[in-house]
Amino acid sequence: MQSYTIGQAARLLGVSPDTARRWADAGRVATRRDESGRRVIDGRDLAAFSVELARGGTGEEDAPSHTSARNAFPGIVTAVKLGDVAAQVEIQAGPHRLVSLLTREAVEELGLEVGMEATARVKSTNVHIDRT
């Protein structure tokens, strides 16, 4: 399972590293120490926390906002639903929840799973997913 440093988690959540550190210190998101002694957050825990934040707000009013239809939204995969032919992938990018419908084959080729870092690229009504 992929894990993220406090700085990486902050970037994915769209907040400052200090804010992410305060949330970890307050116990809002679980951390552990990696072999180098750095605090890291497991991908599944970060995915669940990002969904919780999106529902209740980040607590930082000056978090960056992505408004252009051609923006890339780096975030974390929070759900993967596979059908026989089609698939649905959800990404939480800071306060933004993006949903992409694509083929099951594409999801399997990218190896997408909950807790992974990915980028949603939005143009008009299309959402493309890039594994990061």
Side-chain angles (χ1 to χ4, degrees):
M1 171 51 60
Q2 188 164 353
S3 58
Y4 299 90
T5 64
I6 296 290
Q8 290 170 322
R11 184 178 53 79
L12 292 171
L13 296 171
V15 298
S16 71
D18 287 337
T19 297
R21 203 171 291 108
R22 280 193 301 273
W23 287 339
D25 291 344
R28 290 189 63 190
V29 62
T31 61
R32 64 175 173 80
R33 298 278 178 183
D34 68 6
E35 56 279 348
S36 302
R38 296 177 302 174
R39 288 191 338 181
V40 295
I41 304 168
D42 288 327
R44 287 191 180 274
D45 292 337
L46 185 59
F49 184 65
S50 69
V51 171
E52 174 190 323
L53 282 178
R55 289 188 181 131
T58 64
E60 280 207 355
E61 302 310 318
D62 14 323
S65 174
H66 303 281
T67 56
S68 171
R70 289 190 168 87
N71 274 336
F73 293 79
I76 187 165
V77 176
T78 58
V80 177
K81 299 171 187 161
L82 297 174
D84 291 336
V85 176
Q88 177 179 312
V89 176
E90 295 181 22
I91 293 179
Q92 192 69 45
H96 308 287
R97 176 179 165 262
L98 298 118
V99 179
S100 180
L101 301 176
L102 56 164
T103 65
R104 178 187 182 116
E105 180 181 18
V107 171
E108 290 171 347
E109 283 180 12
L110 289 170
L112 294 175
E113 58 185 43
V114 172
M116 292 184 79
E117 187 174 354
T119 300
R121 298 190 185 280
V122 179
K123 182 175 180 185
S124 186
T125 60
N126 297 318
V127 178
H128 304 270
I129 305 291
D130 297 328
R131 183 171 172 183
T132 318

